[in-house]
Amino acid sequence: DTGVSQDPRHKITKRGQNVTFRCDPISEHNRLYWYRQTLGQGPEFLTYFQNEAQLEKSRLLSDRFSAERPKGSFSTLEIQRTEQGDSAMYLCASSLAGAGYTFGSGTRLTVV
Amino acid sequence: GQQVMQIPQYQHVQEGEDFTTYCNSSTTLSNIQWYKQRPGGHPVFLIQLVKSGEVKKQKRLTFQFGEAKKNSSLHITATQTTDVGTYFCAGPRNSGNTPLVFGKGTRLSVIA
């Protein structure tokens, strides 16, 4: 598989529940990014990793969001105590530094 | 922080007509990238421009980076129905190879 894989593709959760998403990047890529996209908007930066180090986290990201990339391979994004405003498409991308991004198909989260 | 603005927001064209979308940054960019997102899909990398005044072509698509490296354009000649989608430009948040800030995109509809 040469693409970026995300799991699950869809997640419906009740408000207040915790959810976790997984991203498997292209193995040769040392950078991994999480973005969020809502209808009619461009992708909004959340956080990114270079290898296993989390280098930057958006100031817009609340403390309910956390991401990990153990051993510099796959990454997880967890949202605690979900709110209806968290409903969005969560996109993962990977790249080599300074190169174009390869995006996964995303995880669509619906909070009811 | 750095902002990337795109116009127009929407464009409807007859098949065979030309199409142009414009991208403007609030700061000078080290590079600019363009992505295409088909309806229901995820962003797909098209191209990266690095040099001032650079022009690159991909078949019917022509990409240009402004002399001041603060603006860019994408021109499609003789649009086809396969060109339908949203076109995003994106530039680094800060200097160097930092994560991308995406514009809101231009949504292209092509009427056959």
Side-chain angles (χ1 to χ4, degrees):
Chain A
D1 185 12
T2 58
V4 176
S5 299
Q6 291 190 245
D7 184 70
R9 292 292 302 274
H10 305 273
K11 178 71 177 179
I12 300 175
T13 190
K14 291 184 178 180
R15 189 174 52 188
Q17 297 293 306
N18 299 343
V19 294
T20 300
F21 310 141
R22 177 182 170 120
C23 172
D24 287 271
I26 293 174
S27 57
E28 297 82 12
H29 290 176
N30 58 349
R31 287 199 171 183
L32 185 149
Y33 312 84
W34 285 99
Y35 281 78
R36 176 171 61 190
Q37 187 177 28
T38 53
L39 197 62
Q41 302 294 314
E44 175 190 27
F45 170 73
L46 296 179
T47 187
Y48 89 107
F49 296 82
Q50 179 154 303
N51 301 314
E52 67 274 10
Q54 187 174 17
L55 296 187
E56 190 175 343
K57 186 175 176 180
S58 170
R59 288 175 295 172
L60 301 175
L61 211 57
S62 79
D63 292 340
R64 297 183 297 105
F65 287 71
S66 63
E68 294 182 343
R69 192 184 183 194
K71 303 178 182 178
S73 55
F74 72 93
S75 176
T76 59
L77 176 69
E78 181 184 17
I79 309 174
Q80 296 182 329
R81 303 181 303 281
T82 52
E83 302 172 357
Q84 286 190 322
D86 297 331
S87 295
M89 177 72 82
Y90 289 83
L91 293 166
C92 175
S94 69
S95 78
L96 295 172
Y101 294 1
T102 301
F103 280 90
S105 297
T107 294
R108 180 168 297 283
L109 173 66
T110 303
V111 182
V112 298
Chain B
Q2 200 254 84
Q3 293 185 340
V4 175
M5 294 147 285
Q6 282 185 255
I7 56 170
Q9 190 173 1
Y10 303 97
Q11 186 77 57
H12 305 278
V13 299
Q14 290 282 343
E15 190 173 22
E17 291 183 339
D18 292 355
F19 159 77
T20 304
T21 175
Y22 300 91
C23 178
N24 289 283
S25 169
S26 57
T27 60
T28 302
L29 299 170
S30 59
N31 70 87
I32 194 158
Q33 299 183 18
W34 285 89
Y35 291 78
K36 177 184 178 181
Q37 186 171 23
R38 295 181 184 274
H42 55 274
V44 174
F45 174 71
L46 294 177
I47 207 162
Q48 180 180 50
L49 304 172
V50 178
K51 299 177 183 178
S52 169
E54 187 171 14
V55 177
K56 286 188 175 180
K57 292 190 176 184
Q58 289 179 351
K59 297 182 180 179
R60 294 179 294 103
L61 278 61
T62 301
F63 303 85
Q64 187 167 5
F65 201 8
E67 293 291 339
K69 300 183 76 173
K70 294 183 71 174
N71 61 288
S72 180
S73 65
L74 159 59
H75 179 83
I76 302 178
T77 302
T79 54
Q80 300 175 359
T81 55
T82 54
D83 296 324
V84 165
T86 301
Y87 293 84
F88 294 100
C89 64
R93 282 159 55 84
N94 302 300
S95 61
N97 296 319
T98 51
L100 297 175
V101 173
F102 284 78
K104 290 188 175 183
T106 295
R107 186 172 175 178
L108 173 64
S109 298
V110 179
I111 305 164

